[in-house]
Amino acid sequence: MAVKVIVPNPNYSETFVGVEFKNGVGVFEDEKLGKEIAEAFGYKVEADEPKKAPAKKAPAKKKAE
C-alpha cells in the first residue's frame, strides 16, 4: 500500500529520493521507505487511498404509453 508523506511547507515541489512532491505532498509506493523518511524528518504520513470512479447512473426508464 502506498503512503502520502506531507511536509510542513505547502509550496514544496521537488523530487526527493526518487519521489515527486507536489504542493508539499509526495506519494511513496514503498510504504516502509515513506514511513522512514517521514520519521527521520518529522513529517506527517497518511494512507494513500485509491480514488474511486464516480458511480454511473442507470439510464432513465421510459414510461409506458
Side-chain angles (χ1 to χ4, degrees), residues 41-65:
F41 292 98
Y43 299 156
K44 184 177 175 185
V45 177
E46 290 181 357
D48 184 37
E49 311 256 342
K51 294 180 181 177
K52 295 181 181 177
K56 293 184 179 179
K57 293 183 180 179
K61 294 182 181 179
K62 294 184 179 180
K63 292 184 180 180
E65 294 180 26

Side-chain angles (χ1 to χ4, degrees), residues 5 26-28 32-33 36 61:
V5 174
V27 178
F28 283 74
K32 183 180 176 186
L33 177 61
E36 287 175 1
K61 294 182 181 179

Side-chain angles (χ1 to χ4, degrees), residues 9-23:
N9 180 355
N11 297 317
Y12 183 73
S13 295
E14 299 286 333
T15 300
F16 180 68
V17 295
V19 175
E20 186 175 349
F21 281 76
K22 287 186 180 179
N23 301 321

